Amino acid sequence: MADEERSTALTVPTEAKKRRAPKAPELPIVERRNWLIHQHYIRKDYDTCKAIIKEQLQETNGMCEYAIYVQALILRLEGKIQQSLELFQSCAILNPSSADNLKQVARSLFLLGKHKAAIEFYHEAARLNEKDWEISHNLGLCYFFIKDFKNAEEHLNAALQINKQDKTFMMLGKVHLLAGDTDKAIEVYKRAVEFSPENTELLTTLGLLYLQLGKYQKAFVHLGNALTFDPNNYKAILAAGSMMQTHGDFDVAMNKYRVAACAVPENPPLWNNIGMCFFGKKKYVAAISCLKRAHYLSPFDWKVLYNLGLVHLTMQQYASAFHFLSAAINLNPRMGELYMLLAVALTNLEDEDNATRAYEQAVTMDESNPLVNLNFAIFLYNHGDKKRALDQYQEMERKVNLLRDNSGSFEFDSELMDMAQKMGTALQVTESLVWTKPGKDSKSKPNSAAATKTPGAPLGTNQALGQAMSSAASYNKNIQLPTGVSKSPSMPLEPEPDVENAPSPPSDPPGSPEPVEEVNPKPKTSKRKTKVEE
Amino acid sequence: MSSMEPSGDGGKWLDAHYDPVAGLYTFSSCVDLADLSGDGESRLVLGDLGSGSSGMKLKVYRGTALMSESTLLDLPAGLVAFFMDLHEPRIPAVAVASGPCIYVYKNMRPYYKFTLPGLEVNTLEQDVWQQVREGQIDPLTLKEMLESIRKKADTPLSVRSLRFLSLEPDEMEEFVQLQKQQPIKRQTVITCIGTLKKSTADEDGVSCLVIGTECSDVYILDPEAFIILTKMSLPAAPTMMDVTGQYDVEFRITVACRNGNIYILRRESDKPKYCVELSSHPVGLVRVGKNMVVGCTDESLQGFTQKGKKLWRVELPAPITTMASMDLPTKGFQAVLLGLANCEVHLYRDKNLLSTIKTPDVVSSICFGRYGREDGTLIMTTKGGGLMVKILKRTAAFEDRDNAPGPPLAQSIRLNVPKKTKLYVDQTLRERENGLAMHRAFQMDLSRLRLAAAKAYVKALESSLTPMSSSLTEPLKMNAVVQGLGPSFKLTLNVQNTAACRPVMNLAISFLYDEGLYRMKNPYMRIPLLVPGLIYPVETFVECTSDKGISDIIKVFVLHEGRSSPLLTAHINMPISEGLMLN
């Protein structure tokens, strides 16, 4: 091995070439810089990458397939989807047997919203490469977007069989949810969590689903897991926090909310929940501040308005409460409880005619909440209409019975029972002790009862839980609202002047004192309020 | 030269050298450390890509100085130092993969050039060119035939045919004449290179070269004779590889490919044994013990077993630019160094972040090992071309941080609850005492407001004070535009008949204005017949006669002949005249 000879060959091979073939210059290999393009592309150094591609395309007269391919990928990242589509199509012309090129054409079509065309291309690509999870996954995605859930499910399952990927699980779960099959969705998420037990997004979604189904224990486990792996996951924080709130752990919930407040300082449901935490801790001024911030951030959220109305009723600011509640009714005119609260406010504003009308509306709207009828009965009794009061009382009993029949372990708020019993004696309905169960169970788990009260109400219906971002919001709204709703019946547990106290007081000793008397806790609360401020 | 590092690495590293203008353009795959002269002192060898198209160099650093450099012919895709024979003294050779060749340097002098075997050429293509050589077909027919071969054939066309297809018709003849005598070749390019010990696991044992090529093959080369020992094929072009084991015993080649998958090749088979399908492209691939750590473009670091089972995944704060392993056998320490796009280098052991080094620029390549006489040296090049050398302090110890970090910091931050003022409290108290009165007053005022609004509306409708007329016979619409700075203004009234098909006739426009302020040429104009739908601009000039800088309203009435009340009325707020009257 003559070293020298080789060294000349190394250093001046161009000369050697020229000597050998003076006529035909060596053509550069088309793919010679593909690796370099790829290196820059994966390092996200797109400017250098584009420069190299340009050079490469000049050198090869546009015949370098990979350079065009990466150029198209970069264009797509820059949002020039139409241009990228054209380039991918020219790649497919240069190399018609590559499934990858077809996949990218389809992907660009998908991004342009041409789902059906994308599906065609994916099928074409699938013919070239059958065992590709990405094709199946993306096919599922396309079908999902054209709302063909059956096909979507099929293809996503096929993708999972080829290769398990978190995002396929996520998508499949979403498809099941949108198809209205929560149980299947839960199954999918369970499998997904088994496959990647540390994926906080999957854990949170599963937790929220359980929460929605009322399986609080399981929900809490999964949300807790999500929080262990990512203590800053604000979705999980909101959901877990609202659960704690439902159980009265306001301080713990507040701790969690503090983390979320750093991550998403402008999240309306978060501030709503914080507000209701303060409300639970009887810091009314802080509660109002937070709720008002939530209202400022999301002015058309009737739930925030509902809570604001509730807090103002508690603060005996009936005029303000009236405004918040009527705004809430304007936004959501189909909820009995809202009319009931409005009626309470109107009663205190001594507008009996309108209060009666509001109660009537509430009674026609509401289907399951006995509180509405009880309050109406009290109101009617106080205004001397004993007969109609009795009607309402019986209606309330019917609802109570219904609730108890539907769920055996139904527990009622003790305040509600007390009041109902008093009302019963006042109306001389003796045999009516529907709630024979003593109040102690209800005290142990007061709010779970309150929470289960709501599923029938419109709260449960507007959950678009598939949508990642909004889901947390809507979830916790759903949860937090129960607290809001339950506030009204359950607040009495922590003895304090309460919403429905306001109309009910008259019934305490039947018929005698006027509502005004009940207003005397006023000074107390005002003291508290000033404390909060300092 | 060494100074304490003030940044957040806990003073574990000494700054040995930093040259921000070293002008290096390289990747981790083109950097290696080796004792090139057998004196026990390691040198830094790196393949510099120059400007990316020219000026490629093989550079050797000793200490802080550039010791030698030699020109490379093509872009270096990878560089390894390896022992190719058993001669004493034990001096490693350097293999540079570049284009279709491997250049082997010994004692930093060119020693051997290995060229990849040519690829199989499509027989149809060969036949066609043969016919061209014999003068049987002309270039245009050639083009057609090549096009059809490209569409159908499994083997791609050669460079020559591809180039021919891209030519303009007038260039074809010349090209064919030039090329037709040459044999057709199809060559591929090396994309990555690694070494594999031949038969012993010794540090200075003879190693085979393992190369990955653009056409998705992996070759293992004998180090002495440079013949291909084994050829294996992959489903896609390889980008990075990690090799472990011995060729004669058992080995495992982990290859990251351009399709985003990682394949694991074993001795027994020429096809991949395991496959890891990632959800995004791998940027770095490092083996730590028996596991592999992969950095992906979706800003994550993932751990897999050697059979491709996923172990863990960590999210990173920024995209990865490069990865390298950090191996300190004396301390039994193995970890992964990650260069991130946010000018930081992170050190991970499994999923735990051990330490962070802040760098003045984004790091483009990392190499850790013995440099000079120092075992723990970290060599980094930056995107701007800088060269940085850091030495690990001998006292440095890396401790796994507690996996569960406890409550996040944010939990101790007080909630920013908006404060309420004393005034608010007073108002609250007032509302509590006078709520009823407030409510009633509000309701009363609200009703009054509604009444007033309704009254005003009715009045406007009755007296045609609106710029819209909805009367059945003359539905009209008008808007006015004032142009000019003054004292002359041009007033354009756009009148439109909004009826479906009936034209409107006998209309006139008149103006009402303060004659002390404005002068108008013709304060009364007749409007032509209005065809439905069309907009008729009616123009007139207004002159402001006052120089006091005041303005007024001009009222416009659209009138119907023979009727005293106007059809519609518009109030034009005149702008202040900014010019002075000339007369």
Side-chain angles (χ1 to χ4, degrees), chain A residues 292-305:
Chain A
K292 279 195 172 158
R293 175 175 288 180
H295 176 59
Y296 171 78
L297 294 169
S298 170
F300 298 117
D301 188 343
W302 65 269
K303 287 167 189 171
V304 178
L305 286 166

Side-chain angles (χ1 to χ4, degrees), chain A residues 447-463:
Chain A
N447 290 313
S448 65
T452 36
K453 240 179 249 177
T454 34
L459 307 181
T461 55
N462 62 346
Q463 302 148 344

